[in-house]
Amino acid sequence: MSTAPLQVQFGSDNQAGICPEALAALQDANRGHAIAYGRDEWTARAEEAIRRAFDADAEVHLVFTGTAANALALASICRSTDAVVCHEMAHVNVDECGGPEFMTGGAKVLTVAGEHAKVTLQAFAPRAASPHDEHASRPRALSLTQATELGTVYTPAEMRALCDAAHERFLKVHVDGARFANAVASLGCQPADIAQRAGADVLVLGGTKNGLPAGEALVFFDRALADEFRRRRKQAGQLASKMRFLAAPWVAVLESGAWLTHAAHANAMAQRLAGRLAGIPGVSLFAPVQANGVFAHLPKAAIDALRARGWHFYVFVGETGCRFMCAWDTTAEAVDRFAADLREACERHV
Ligand SMILES: *Cc1c(COP(=O)(O)O)cnc(C)c1O
């Protein structure tokens, strides 16, 4: 088997490997026996580290995937007769195979449009209006993605306004934070500023895309929502028996601050890539670069040429809207090589 490193790609931040801090923590946790099902010391430390990072007395639970975390979080808010309001591009709407509907037992996902994958007050308000009779599902949760599916971020003030509007209408707020660290690093704010201080009731804090081997943390700022969560996690097959191996990487990246330095690095690589793409004929960004993704329309021939050169990435919007994600380990050299290949392909084909 070859041990040569694999080429950096721009397909997704979950194509990257495990960051060194997390890998060392796995090694360290792998000594002898520990109590199973989360009653071990690493799990307690991870939960405490998350509470400290947010300066909140939150209830914290670890699960394997973001899809499960989102669906379980929404199921902690919604009954089967309720509805979730989210952006039409939201992961919970288009990338979870009906997981939220399934885990809530039938809650309806109601979508809104909005520029750059962001929910606006104007779009949210009419969607959240209660129908007042039994023919329609009752909006009960607002789900916001931070950073968004188009690599943009909500400012603390934007989040606060949306959360206030939700709470006024008796909706709870769920934040899909698969790339929460990228948003914090981008805004230069405290984690709490775009979480409970902005009004979030439950946050899914992403680890996988930020260098963990696997795992997301559910952070219940509204502790009442966590009622029976442990049983619902078990029922969903998301209770890890060897929980210490989910938890130890969290301890390592949180206690060292690596979760934010890795995210800042990924963001910086996206900025570098955006800078390299500026001025290439036929290339146009279709979202501002505020986190670790660059979204650009490319000439179709250039897409084919890049793929023929071994680059992997997704066409995300229509036939030419491409997504380029940077990760904790994306190198400046890879960004520059990719941009040079793109420039050459575009100059040849435009
Ligand atoms: C990746 C991602 C998730 C989590 O996906 P899983 O593959 O289930 O871990 C959730 N939300 C967003 C916005 C994502 O990009």
Side-chain angles (χ1 to χ4, degrees):
M1 216 169 82
S2 168
T3 53
L6 301 167
Q7 177 176 302
V8 167
Q9 294 287 356
F10 295 90
S12 179
D13 28 5
N14 62 18
Q15 294 184 348
I18 304 171
C19 69
E21 296 84 357
L23 193 56
L26 281 177
Q27 276 286 354
D28 180 60
N30 191 33
R31 46 187 161 87
H33 290 211
I35 311 280
Y37 298 113
R39 310 288 172 173
D40 60 280
E41 59 179 286
W42 289 273
T43 303
R45 264 175 78 189
E47 292 175 2
E48 193 48 40
I50 289 172
R51 279 190 282 273
R52 224 176 306 121
F54 286 88
D55 191 20
D57 180 31
E59 185 163 331
V60 177
H61 296 290
L62 305 182
V63 299
F64 289 98
T65 72
T67 297
N70 283 336
L72 285 168
L74 291 167
S76 72
I77 298 173
C78 295
R79 303 185 216 183
S80 63
T81 50
D82 291 336
V84 179
V85 179
C86 65
H87 193 276
E88 60 192 2
M89 295 186 82
H91 200 272
V92 298
N93 183 44
V94 290
D95 282 313
E96 301 191 350
C97 195
E101 294 91 330
F102 180 72
M103 295 233 198
T104 56
K108 190 171 174 66
V109 174
L110 300 175
T111 62
V112 298
E115 204 183 20
H116 303 144
K118 286 168 77 171
V119 176
T120 61
L121 278 175
Q122 293 79 349
F124 169 68
R127 224 30 180 145
S130 257
H132 288 306
D133 69 22
E134 74 267 37
H135 299 282
S137 308
R138 179 187 60 160
R140 197 52 195 138
L142 166 63
S143 177
L144 301 174
T145 310
Q146 176 76 310
T148 73
E149 284 77 4
L150 285 182
T152 53
V153 299
Y154 293 94
T155 64
E158 286 172 331
M159 279 198 78
R160 162 59 64 191
L162 285 163
C163 292
D164 284 351
H167 292 152
E168 278 163 21
R169 293 163 174 81
F170 307 105
L171 278 75
K172 298 284 186 184
V173 180
H174 156 255
V175 175
D176 175 351
R179 300 188 178 93
F180 188 84
N182 301 96
V184 173
S186 168
L187 292 160
C189 63
Q190 293 296 311
D193 294 339
I194 48 171
Q196 82 277 15
R197 281 184 208 143
D201 296 296
V202 56
L203 164 71
V204 172
L205 178 62
T208 308
K209 288 183 174 129
N210 197 21
L212 262 55
E216 320 279 298
L218 278 117
V219 189
F220 288 98
F221 299 109
D222 181 345
R223 280 177 163 267
L225 293 178
D227 182 46
E228 288 295 321
F229 181 82
R230 287 177 185 278
R231 282 196 174 82
R232 282 188 285 110
R233 175 178 61 176
K234 176 67 185 182
Q235 186 179 56
Q238 289 287 318
L239 174 60
S241 62
K242 290 189 179 177
M243 186 77 87
R244 65 174 142 154
F245 298 111
L246 282 190
W250 276 112
V251 174
V253 299
L254 287 160
E255 290 185 354
S256 66
W259 71 300
L260 293 176
T261 48
H262 287 325
H265 170 82
N267 291 356
M269 290 301 104
Q271 289 297 337
R272 184 182 184 100
L273 179 57
R276 294 287 183 280
L277 298 195
I280 297 182
V283 175
S284 58
L285 299 191
F286 59 91
V289 180
Q290 296 175 337
N292 62 323
V294 176
F295 294 78
H297 287 289
L298 264 55
K300 267 195 105 171
I303 294 172
D304 297 339
L306 285 168
R307 291 198 165 141
R309 286 214 167 178
W311 291 110
H312 182 268
F313 55 90
Y314 291 102
V315 176
F316 204 65
V317 173
E319 293 198 343
T320 60
C322 299
R323 182 185 84 157
F324 306 112
M325 298 306 301
C326 297
W328 65 271
D329 66 342
T330 300
T331 57
E333 181 273 327
V335 168
D336 294 352
R337 197 155 37 82
F338 175 74
D341 281 355
L342 175 54
R343 177 174 285 279
E344 193 192 300
C346 288
E347 286 175 349
R348 196 153 16 100
H349 291 290
V350 171

